[in-house]
Amino acid sequence: MQSAWPQLATCAGCHGKQPAIDFLAPGTAEGAYETIFDFQPPVLDVGAPSASLLLTMGKHTGPALGPDQSAAVLAWLTAERDEKVGIGGGAEFRVGPFMPAHNTAVTLDLGIGGATLTVVTEPSEGGVYAKRITLTSGSGIKLAHPLFVSRPADPIVDEIDRFADLDLSLEAGRTLELGSAWFLSFATTDYLAIHFKTLEAP
């Protein structure tokens, strides 16, 4: 609101109200904050902020962002990324980092009553494909919003944030398949970590 939004004021002239391109609707900082994250096709890549279309669009029917404008917007997107990753001090819990082993189960101790999360990946031409993600409850566990993060020097978050709505409590002795996931922006040579908004005994 204080730094990035003023730099987008020129963009809001068109992108705050024109159908199909109104990713800054309704033209206010508070309203546009929600709109821009939900807009399709995406104009933001919080996992890799500098790759966001908002920054890379350049001159089109409207002007390109200037260097100072781009710097302010990039700083905001980087702060959003860091908050998701937990660098910003958010109330999150982290498991890992760990190195995936293709076609081999990697079992992670969640630190709550013997609960574990098992991840099985397989080789892929692009990104990291987790073909099976399994939660075992141990003596019982409550968790919410696991976020997968690739951990090169500059962390990359799951750009889809596909488990954002996951919020569950499992009694003792339960096993739950969370399914599969393809993380296209992750490199197979990098460690992974998983961040949770909630991770505690039920």
Side-chain angles (χ1 to χ4, degrees):
M1 291 177 66
Q2 296 177 1
S3 182
W5 178 251
Q7 312 309 321
L8 298 172
T10 301
C11 307
C14 293
H15 295 289
K17 56 188 176 182
Q18 290 189 14
I21 61 169
D22 55 346
F23 57 80
L24 293 177
T28 63
E30 296 88 345
Y33 183 84
E34 181 174 349
T35 303
I36 198 169
F37 281 100
D38 292 338
F39 191 80
Q40 295 295 326
V43 295
L44 300 183
D45 186 342
V46 178
S50 61
S52 296
L53 182 61
L54 183 64
L55 291 171
T56 62
M57 183 65 177
K59 188 178 184 303
H60 45 297
T61 53
L65 292 175
D68 291 343
Q69 292 173 306
S70 294
V73 173
L74 178 59
W76 162 57
L77 291 176
T78 300
E80 292 283 356
R81 189 277 315 276
D82 290 350
E83 181 67 20
K84 282 182 173 290
V85 173
I87 296 173
E92 296 185 341
F93 303 88
R94 186 179 83 180
V95 175
F98 66 96
M99 179 61 73
H102 291 324
N103 296 316
T104 301
V106 176
T107 299
L108 308 169
D109 184 354
L110 298 182
I112 306 292
T116 61
L117 190 71
T118 299
V119 180
V120 180
T121 61
E122 67 179 28
S124 168
E125 293 183 0
V128 172
Y129 178 60
K131 64 180 180 181
R132 190 165 64 254
I133 305 170
T134 307
L135 173 67
T136 302
S137 66
S139 61
I141 191 168
K142 181 178 181 181
L143 62 82
H145 192 173
L147 175 68
F148 281 73
V149 181
S150 181
R151 283 283 179 175
D154 193 17
I156 301 171
V157 301
D158 171 18
E159 68 277 7
I160 301 175
D161 200 2
R162 68 202 72 212
F163 297 114
D165 295 330
L166 185 66
D167 188 343
L168 56 84
S169 182
L170 287 183
E171 60 188 16
R174 295 284 304 280
T175 297
L176 178 66
E177 294 284 346
L178 301 184
S180 60
W182 203 326
F183 304 101
L184 294 175
S185 59
F186 292 3
T188 57
T189 55
D190 290 329
Y191 283 85
L192 297 180
I194 308 171
H195 298 245
F196 298 83
K197 287 295 184 185
T198 301
L199 188 61
E200 61 190 24

